[in-house]
């Protein structure tokens, strides 16, 4: 079976949980920016958590089904319609052959995840169906979906049941101001104590340059550098380093002005210093931030990062139990 | 050299072998990443070597970050004494310097450049003390380069020039990065050359373009059939200047599936290189052209 793309939305890509293992060649893991939402959508329709679905940014696509299927939409909150009838989010919905799935205007969050029973069955590239548009890899010919694409769908497990739902208390979206917990490190020593303090005091806002590669933030004070003679090969700006690796979630600040948090389609390295890394538990949240959202960075230590990670894993486990 | 370890959140450890670039730092980083790979530490998910640093990604559900850190530190002293020697390959990369496509792009982004009234080549020639662009181009292609990192995006190589530090070509990056760079642009930033594997944003100065693809996700290009990424750290590159006619000829050969890059197997020994750079470079070129 397949699903026909009537309208693609703004930027809708096929994503699963990514292709770890090639970052040393500059090919990032990719995959859903909000992994909890992607996993939840898959569970609702009876798929493996790592099946491929769609990630739709700010605006949903319109899809026509050629066979009966279960679908679930999680993540960003936008009205969901099957033909003209509004449907609940975070819930398995039965769709009949010939019906269309469509969306209204975004209410909150940034990325909706659409799972279809059987999963999207485009050819895997390096072990994943995730679309990495910069490298023209995965998904539909390495690009976002377009009008008249026919998305192949795999065989449904039959485990999903219409009406299954993730309880309200277990759904996650961003607060306002959103809080991103960061473990200082990497080149944290390159900025003055006053700048270190100021970074956490300031209220930042998501800049328009926010995509799968990274999220840029503005409105905070410029960071003041500790003076030094630049090392050979680094470049003359105080924010330059000898090109090195970038962790996922690392916070680089080119020129000391606007921090950029690297996300699932991160560049694997480069010549800008980094002041720390957003903890793994808060990465999903970034994918749901709209431009202009106020954001505070919150300083944490490793114990707090690991506790947050365990809490996130426990939440996912509760979703599995609630849906299963 | 002073090695510095830092956590990159709860899933990464970043190891800076040295603040400044040198082949000694590269080889120590390479030895350490090889040691990490061979030690089979549980929970390691990715090992990414860079120019003078490296990064290990791990699963903190399988190994506590502090234990991971302790495991990595244990490997350092052995890596220091490892042989700085590689069996590798030298590859000839044809370059059409001062080509129309990078020229069009650099003119389009002139207001983001240090010298809005010239070209990237004119600027690079002047600040490196050359009388003419031609002299600069000659300096660029007359010595081999060493691939000290692959990354940024899809198989992009960073290359370090195999000459004395005093003779290394150095240029700053653009004041503000461009939003566009032609695919296969030969660029330069800091002391590093690069080849842009795909079209996209970039901040390096642009000197020319190569007709030889280095990344092909469809794996249709003949020399990329086995794997979509061409370069790996430790590769050695010799640029060869070509004109428009030869550029067009190679593009046609690539499309016809008949192009094969000129490649030779070579040994690279860092101590031998440091003792006699010109001699080692002459031998590298000999392997490529006389073989």
């Amino acid at each position: 079976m397949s699903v026909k793309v009537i309208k693609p939305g703004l930027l809708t890509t096929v994503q699963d949980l990514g292709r770890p293992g090639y970052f040393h060649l500059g090919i990032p893991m990719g995959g859903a920016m909000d992994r909890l939402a992607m996993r939840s959508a898959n569970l609702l329709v009876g798929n493996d958590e790592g099946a491929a679905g769609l990630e739709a940014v700010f605006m949903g696509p319109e899809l026509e089904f050629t066979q009966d299927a279960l679908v679930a939409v999680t993540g960003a909150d936008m009205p969901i319609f099957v033909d003209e009838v509004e449907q609940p989010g975070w819930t398995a919905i039965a769709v009949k052959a010939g019906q269309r799935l469509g969306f209204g205007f975004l209410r909150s969050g940034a990325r909706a995840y659409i799972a279809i029973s059987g999963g999207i069955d485009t050819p895997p590239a390096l072990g994943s169906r995730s679309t990495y548009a910069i490298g023209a890899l995965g998904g539909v010919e390495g690009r976002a979906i377009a009008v008249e694409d026919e998305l192949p769908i795999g065989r449904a497990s039959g485990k999903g049941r219409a009406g299954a739902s993730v309880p309200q208390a277990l759904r996650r979206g961003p607060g306002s101001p959103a809080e991103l917990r960061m473990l200082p490190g990497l080149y944290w020593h390159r900025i003055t104590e006053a700048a270190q303090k100021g970074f956490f005091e300031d209220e930042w806002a998501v800049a328009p340059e926010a995509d799968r590669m990274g999220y840029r933030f503005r409105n905070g004070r410029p960071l003041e550098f500790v003076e030094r003679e630049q090392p050979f090969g680094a470049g003359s700006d105080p924010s330059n380093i000898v090109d090195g690796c970038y962790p996922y979630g690392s916070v680089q600040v080119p020129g000391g002005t606007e921090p950029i948090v690297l996300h699932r389609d991160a560049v694997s390295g480069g010549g800008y210093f980094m002041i720390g890394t957003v903890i793994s538990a808060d990465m999903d949240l970034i994918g749901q931030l709209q431009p202009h959202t106020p954001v505070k960075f919150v300083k944490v230590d490793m114990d707090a990062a690991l506790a947050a990670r365990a809490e996130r894993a426990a939440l996912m486990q509760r979703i599995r139990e609630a849906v299963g | 050299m002073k090695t510095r370890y830092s956590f990159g959140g709860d899933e990464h450890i970043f190891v800076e072998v040295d603040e400044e670039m040198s082949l000694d730092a590269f080889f120590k980083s390479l030895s350490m990443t090889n040691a990490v790979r061979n030690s089979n530490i549980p929970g390691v998910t990715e090992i990414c070597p860079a120019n003078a640093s490296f990064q290990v990604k791990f699963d903190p559900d399988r190994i506590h970050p502090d234990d991971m850190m302790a495991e990595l530190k244990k490997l350092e002293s052995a890596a220091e004494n490892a042989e700085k020697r590689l069996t590798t390959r030298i590859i000839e990369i044809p370059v059409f310097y001062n080509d129309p496509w990078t020229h069009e792009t650099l003119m389009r982004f002139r207001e983001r450049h240090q010298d809005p009234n010239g070209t990237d080549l004119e600027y690079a020639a002047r600040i490196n003390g050359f009388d003419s662009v031609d002299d600069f181009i000659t300096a660029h292609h007359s010595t081999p380069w060493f691939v000290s990192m692959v990354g940024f995006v899809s198989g992009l190589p960073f290359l370090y020039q195999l000459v004395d530090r005093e003779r290394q070509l150095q240029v700053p990056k653009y004041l503000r990065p461009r939003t566009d760079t032609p695919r296969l642009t030969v660029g330069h930033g800091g002391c590093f050359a690069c080849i842009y594997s795909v079209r996209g944003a970039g901040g390096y100065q642009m000197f020319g373009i190569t007709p030889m693809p280095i990344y092909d996700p469809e794996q249709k290009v003949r020399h990329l059939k086995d794997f979509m990424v061409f370069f790996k750290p430790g590769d050695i590159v010799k640029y060869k200047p070509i004109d428009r006619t030869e550029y067009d000829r190679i593009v046609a050969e690539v499309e016809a599936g008949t192009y094969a890059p000129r490649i030779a197997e070579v040994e690279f020994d860092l101590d031998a290189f440091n003792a006699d750079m010109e001699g080692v470079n002459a031998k590298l070129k000999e392997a490529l052209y006389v073989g």
Side-chain angles (χ1 to χ4, degrees), chain A residues 41-52 115-120 156-157 159:
Chain A
N42 273 324
L43 285 170
L44 287 166
V45 298
N47 290 348
D48 287 342
E49 290 175 30
I116 300 166
S117 52
I120 294 176
S157 70
K159 284 187 286 185

Side-chain angles (χ1 to χ4, degrees), chain A residues 134-151:
Chain A
I134 294 165
L137 202 63
V140 180
E141 296 165 8
R143 56 164 171 81
I145 64 167
V147 176
E148 295 194 345
D149 279 346
E150 302 263 351
L151 306 175

Side-chain angles (χ1 to χ4, degrees), chain A residues 20-27 29 126 132 134-137 183-187 189 213 228 231-236 240-248 266-272 274 277 279-280 302 305-306 309, chain B residues 4 6-12 14 16 19-21 46-51 53 55 57 59-61 64-65 149-155 158 160 165 168 170 172-173 177 190-192 198 204 215 217 227-229 231:
Chain A
Y22 302 93
F23 208 34
H24 64 292
L25 299 171
I27 298 173
M29 67 174 173
L126 302 179
Y132 172 48
I134 294 165
L137 202 63
L183 184 73
L186 305 168
Y187 291 86
H189 58 281
M213 183 191 282
R228 71 164 174 183
F232 177 79
S236 49
N240 288 153
I241 56 168
V242 168
D243 292 60
C245 298
Y246 289 154
Y248 295 105
V267 288
S268 70
Y272 292 113
M274 303 150 275
T277 309
I279 64 174
S280 61
M302 184 62 85
L306 293 176
R309 184 183 173 89
Chain B
R4 194 171 63 80
S6 176
F7 288 113
D10 47 321
E11 293 184 334
H12 309 83
F14 178 88
E16 183 188 66
E19 259 197 341
E20 60 173 40
M21 180 57 195
E46 301 220 37
I47 303 163
C48 298
N51 295 301
S53 59
Q55 174 178 300
K57 186 165 191 271
D59 179 357
D61 300 332
H64 190 281
M149 176 171 172
V150 175
F152 182 58
V153 293
S154 317
F158 291 81
Y160 186 74
R165 191 173 277 192
Q168 278 185 335
Q170 286 199 76
K173 293 157 197 169
C191 69
F192 295 104
V198 293
Y204 276 28
Y215 170 73
F227 193 59
M228 62 181 75
V229 168
F231 281 109

Side-chain angles (χ1 to χ4, degrees), chain A residues 271-290:
Chain A
Y272 292 113
F273 91 121
M274 303 150 275
I275 57 175
T277 309
V278 172
I279 64 174
S280 61
D282 286 352
M283 289 293 280
D284 284 351
L285 172 64
I286 295 175
Q288 295 299 354
L289 297 177
Q290 293 177 9

